[in-house]
Amino acid sequence: MQSFQYWARQSRRASFRILFVALVLAVAAISSVGVFSARIEAALVRDASQMLGGDLVIESKRNTANAPWLSILDKPEYATLKQAESVVFPSVVPSERVDLLVSLKAVNNMYPLRGQLTVRNAQGQDEKVSSGPPQGELWVDQGVLGSLDVQLGDSIQVGEITRPVTRVILVEPDRGGGFVNFAPRVMMNTADLEESRLLGLGSRATWRIYFTGAQPVINQLISELTPVLSPVEEIETLENGRPEVSGTLERANDFLAMAALIGTMVACVGIALVAHLFAKEQASELAVLKSLGYTPKRLLRMWAVGMGMLTLGAGVLGVAWGGPRIGGSWRFWLNW
């Protein structure tokens, strides 16, 4: 009871109130920086995975339709994973004007799993779509239209089929920097690929299977697939599939960690300055209490109770104040 009476008197001191406010601000600053850094990192990883096309990509130099490891995907633990497929290879689109070398990409209806395609329709309007071209249509880069002297709605020959060009591709989220991708893109649905008869024995094609899902499930799938993949198959993640992206993520993580460290150091300096002022004021009062018979053990227990209550109260208020305040602002900056 005496401890509570003692600290009730102390709470009326200006130095005590300043110390309490400093603790609240310090905890709020640290929690805000921590929450903000974690959410920024999560947003960076999410956006970076769009450049990969998924959380995990299996790339193969041969058709994956009969790959022996496909049976692993039938396990119940992988039922929640979403899958998409694509195949990329160089081809030639003939025309009366020129035979154009293109990078042809066939995708199924689930592509892309991450991000969106930005295309331009026949009315000249830009739109974002969450799936590739439907069966019976072709989407092309702007350069294809100019090189072949065709317009949206005109048909071009791809292999043994002729299909209309209905969209211009403006942004393709997972387009890499490989040699074949420097050629203008022609995108089609995988349902039209067999009829086109473009792929045959010895075709220089790259098959990809994209996966998205919970990270623990993705990690488990990686551990199961790694020992059974053939030499012409490899696993791509953000770390090894897109080195330029992983390097950017590492630098961003370093910056966020440094920001959190600086915020913590500044908060600690502020607490130390205010605590020093409060301790100086308490020196004479503690001396009086010792002269009245208070033992060092009793004083220590009294101060431990008081400091514990002060720290707990400031911590709760700081977290409650810092977390929600950062919750609205981080969305603004991420969408800016």
Side-chain angles (χ1 to χ4, degrees):
M1 180 62 69
Q2 291 180 346
S3 297
F4 290 105
Q5 292 175 348
Y6 173 79
W7 286 108
R9 292 194 304 270
Q10 296 301 321
S11 64
R12 293 191 288 268
R13 290 178 176 268
S15 58
F16 181 90
R17 295 178 180 180
I18 293 174
L19 178 60
F20 181 78
V21 172
L23 284 171
V24 171
L25 291 177
V27 173
I30 293 173
S31 62
S32 298
V33 171
V35 171
F36 188 73
S37 298
R39 288 174 174 173
I40 286 288
E41 182 179 358
L44 288 173
V45 172
R46 181 196 64 216
D47 292 342
S49 64
Q50 295 181 12
M51 301 182 68
L52 187 65
D55 301 326
L56 169 67
V57 178
I58 299 177
E59 180 179 299
S60 176
K61 298 302 181 183
R62 65 186 180 192
N63 197 333
T64 58
N66 298 316
W69 48 263
L70 288 177
S71 58
I72 296 178
L73 302 178
D74 296 331
K75 294 183 177 181
E77 55 264 37
Y78 301 131
T80 58
L81 294 179
K82 294 182 179 179
Q83 301 180 37
E85 298 178 3
S86 74
V87 55
V88 180
F89 55 94
S91 185
V92 173
V93 176
S95 70
E96 295 181 357
R97 180 177 180 181
V98 66
D99 292 339
L100 182 64
L101 176 66
V102 299
S103 171
L104 199 145
K105 184 173 186 176
V107 300
N108 67 355
N109 294 328
M110 292 298 295
Y111 172 91
L113 292 179
R114 295 290 189 194
Q116 291 179 312
L117 289 162
T118 303
V119 297
R120 180 170 296 156
N121 57 29
Q123 290 73 39
Q125 299 173 335
D126 296 349
E127 54 186 5
K128 292 186 176 182
V129 294
S130 56
S131 61
Q135 184 178 0
E137 296 183 11
L138 297 177
W139 295 358
V140 302
D141 282 350
Q142 182 66 45
V144 175
L145 298 181
S147 298
L148 299 180
D149 194 21
V150 296
Q151 305 294 327
L152 290 181
D154 295 342
S155 297
I156 60 176
Q157 181 179 350
V158 179
E160 297 188 7
I161 63 175
T162 300
R163 294 289 187 267
V165 178
T166 59
R167 297 287 192 277
V168 174
I169 302 173
L170 302 178
V171 177
E172 183 183 339
D174 66 322
R175 187 164 185 170
F179 176 77
V180 67
N181 289 319
F182 285 111
R185 175 76 81 206
V186 173
M187 187 177 293
M188 65 190 302
N189 194 285
T190 51
D192 293 320
L193 186 57
E194 184 176 356
E195 187 180 351
S196 70
R197 300 186 181 276
L198 285 170
L199 290 180
L201 186 64
S203 297
R204 297 174 59 87
T206 300
W207 284 263
R208 288 186 177 90
I209 300 182
Y210 308 85
F211 298 91
T212 58
Q215 194 58 47
V217 180
I218 293 292
N219 293 337
Q220 181 180 347
L221 180 60
I222 292 175
S223 64
E224 289 200 51
L225 289 178
T226 300
V228 299
L229 293 182
S230 68
V232 297
E233 298 168 333
E234 63 177 355
I235 292 175
E236 288 188 357
T237 60
L238 286 178
E239 290 73 22
N240 62 6
R242 299 298 294 269
E244 70 279 12
V245 176
S246 61
T248 301
L249 285 177
E250 289 179 4
R251 289 190 293 272
N253 289 335
D254 292 341
F255 174 78
L256 293 175
M258 182 179 65
L261 178 61
I262 292 176
T264 303
M265 291 177 61
V266 171
C268 291
V269 170
I271 293 174
L273 292 175
V274 178
H276 177 69
L277 174 64
F278 180 69
K280 285 181 63 176
E281 292 186 358
Q282 294 298 308
S284 58
E285 188 165 345
L286 289 176
V288 173
L289 291 177
K290 290 179 68 176
S291 67
L292 293 177
Y294 280 72
T295 63
K297 184 176 181 180
R298 185 178 179 183
L299 290 175
L300 179 62
R301 184 170 59 250
M302 185 172 62
W303 264 73
V305 172
M307 288 293 101
M309 294 176 59
L310 175 67
T311 304
L312 180 62
V316 171
L317 285 178
V319 171
W321 186 55
R325 286 184 67 86
I326 199 66
S329 61
W330 78 275
R331 295 185 181 88
F332 170 79
W333 288 108
L334 290 183
N335 295 326
W336 183 65

